[in-house]
Amino acid sequence: MPEPHQPPQRLNLALQGGGSHGALTWGVLDALLEDGGLDFEGISGTSAGAMNAVALAHGFVRAAAEFDDPLEARQAGAALARATLARLWEGVGAMGSLVWGVPQAQALPALSLMTPWLAPAQANPFDFNPLRRLLEREIDFEALSVARRQGPQVFVCATNVRTGRGEIFSGARLSADAVMASACLPMLFKAVEIGGELYWDGGYSGNPALHPLIYQAECSDILLVQINPIEHLGVPDTVPEIMDRMNEVTFNASLLAELRAIEFVRRLLAQGRLDPRRYKDVRMHRIDGGAVLARMGSASKARADLGFLRQLFELGRTAGQQWLAAHRQDLGVRASLNLAHNA
C-alpha cells in the first residue's frame, strides 16, 4: 500500500486478449485498483483486454460525474471499476455454460466440426453473441466516448479486414461495436461493420497495441498484462498442439515487434543519438500470466464457467499483488522489463 497522503503514481495499462483467460487480467486489475496508489492515464486493450479496459474506465467516468473532489472521485472510481469488472466477468460466467442456448459440452464439439466447412454466416446465421448484450448493459459507452480526461483514455484495437491493418478506436469512436470487433474471431463470428468497414479480432494486428500509449499519453510507464505464452519448452507434435502454437505466435507477433522498437529507441536515447525532446524513453513493466496459463492449454480459452473464471481471477490477484510488492518503486524511475532479453 502507498504511504498516506502520497500522490498516486501514474501508469498506463496494456491489456492482452486471450478469450476467457482475460479473467486473469480481471484479477490483476482488481489488485491494482484495491491498492489505491495508482493513477491510470491510458489503457490499450484487445479482445478480452478491451473488455477489461472499458469496464475499468467506466468506473472512473461514473465517479467523476458524481464527485467534484479529485481524491474522492479517484477512490470511488476504483471501487466502481472493481464492481463493474466483477459484474462483467460474472455475467460471462453465468452464460458460459451455454453456447447459443445449448449446453457447452454439446455445442463446442459441434462447432469444432462445423467451422472448417461452414463460414460464420452459415454456422451462425443470426450472428448470435450474448456478449454484446452484456457489454451494453454494464458499460456506458456514451459517457466513455465523451469522457476526455474524466477517466483513463481507452484505446481498443481491431483489424480492418480489407487493409489488414490494426485500427484504434478511442474517444468518440469507442463503442460496443468496437469492442465486439476487437474480439471477433473470424471462424466463429461474422466481421463487425463499423463506418462501412469490416473488422476482425485485434489480436492479428495489435495484442495489445502499445503505440497509442506512447504517442497519446504523457506517462512513460506502461504495464503490460500478458496472457499469451511467448515461449514453450516442448515442441508441438500433434495437429491441435501445432495449431495452438501457431495461434500463440500469430497473436504475439505485433506485440514483440513493438517491444523491439521500444528497446531500439531506448538504446539510441541512452547513447545520445536521439533527441529526448522528440522521443519518449518508455519504461516497460510486465505481469506475465502466460507461463501459468500455458499449462491449462489453449482450449481452456473457450471455457467460461464461473468456477474457472474465479480460479483465474485469484491467480491474477496474486500476480498483481506480487508485482506491486516487487516493482512499485520502479514506477517513474526505471523499466522493470528487460526488453533486450524479452523482445
Side-chain angles (χ1 to χ4, degrees):
M1 291 291 290
E3 294 295 328
H5 309 300
Q6 183 178 350
Q9 294 169 293
R10 301 184 79 193
L11 181 64
N12 293 313
L13 297 172
L15 311 179
Q16 198 170 50
S20 63
H21 288 181
L24 183 138
T25 303
W26 164 33
V28 168
L29 297 179
D30 190 77
L32 300 182
L33 291 162
E34 182 184 51
D35 177 82
L38 301 173
D39 179 21
F40 306 108
E41 182 185 359
I43 313 173
S44 179
T46 295
S47 192
M51 289 174 45
N52 283 318
V54 295
L56 188 152
H58 169 87
F60 284 97
V61 169
R62 276 192 55 198
E66 296 178 18
F67 296 92
D68 294 326
D69 180 73
L71 178 59
E72 288 184 334
R74 185 164 60 84
Q75 292 173 339
L80 288 169
R82 293 178 71 190
T84 304
L85 284 160
R87 287 197 306 272
L88 185 64
W89 281 101
E90 286 169 1
V92 170
M95 64 188 184
S97 59
L98 298 178
V99 177
W100 305 346
V102 179
Q104 189 181 73
Q106 299 173 22
L108 291 181
L111 279 175
S112 67
L113 291 174
M114 288 192 298
T115 51
W117 308 105
L118 299 180
Q122 298 169 301
N124 185 8
F126 299 105
D127 201 27
F128 180 73
N129 192 334
L131 180 59
R132 177 186 292 275
R133 290 200 297 269
L134 177 62
L135 279 169
E136 291 174 340
R137 184 176 75 235
E138 297 296 343
I139 309 298
D140 187 345
F141 283 97
E142 183 177 356
L144 285 183
S145 68
V146 297
R148 302 310 298 176
R149 301 302 176 188
Q150 291 182 332
Q153 191 172 2
V154 177
F155 306 96
V156 168
C157 182
T159 304
N160 185 305
V161 178
R162 180 178 59 84
T163 67
R165 297 189 181 97
E167 194 162 328
I168 302 300
F169 293 86
S170 188
R173 299 189 71 206
L174 188 61
S175 64
D177 280 341
V179 177
M180 295 306 300
S182 184
C184 179
L185 289 171
M187 294 303 291
L188 288 181
F189 301 104
K190 291 192 288 186
V192 177
E193 182 175 351
I194 303 174
E197 294 280 0
L198 296 175
Y199 296 91
W200 281 338
D201 196 297
Y204 297 111
S205 53
N207 192 23
L210 301 181
H211 59 88
L213 302 176
I214 298 172
Y215 295 109
Q216 299 186 51
E218 295 178 6
C219 176
S220 295
D221 289 275
I222 299 176
L223 172 60
L224 168 65
V225 183
Q226 191 166 356
I227 55 177
N228 278 332
I230 289 182
E231 297 183 357
H232 269 282
L233 295 178
V235 177
D237 55 9
T238 67
V239 171
E241 290 174 349
I242 292 170
M243 292 298 295
D244 287 347
R245 187 57 183 148
M246 287 172 58
N247 286 332
E248 288 171 352
V249 171
T250 299
F251 281 107
N252 278 326
S254 57
L255 172 64
L256 291 174
E258 286 200 276
L259 291 176
R260 283 192 291 269
I262 290 171
E263 169 59 17
F264 181 61
V265 170
R266 294 199 76 213
R267 189 165 63 248
L268 293 181
L269 284 169
Q271 295 169 356
R273 298 168 64 184
L274 289 179
D275 185 350
R277 295 170 298 182
R278 296 185 57 192
Y279 295 90
K280 182 185 288 187
D281 188 5
V282 176
R283 296 182 289 269
M284 285 299 306
H285 313 273
R286 182 175 67 179
I287 294 175
D288 185 7
V292 174
L293 294 169
R295 297 195 295 269
M296 299 182 178
S298 182
S300 64
K301 292 180 181 180
R303 180 182 170 186
D305 57 280
L306 191 54
F308 180 62
L309 298 181
R310 285 175 173 162
Q311 178 187 353
L312 295 181
F313 168 79
E314 292 299 335
L315 289 171
R317 266 188 63 85
T318 299
Q321 291 166 344
Q322 290 174 341
W323 182 85
L324 283 167
H327 296 295
R328 177 196 299 279
Q329 71 276 7
D330 295 323
L331 293 178
V333 178
R334 65 183 70 86
S336 61
L337 175 61
N338 184 347
L339 291 178
H341 173 72
N342 289 279

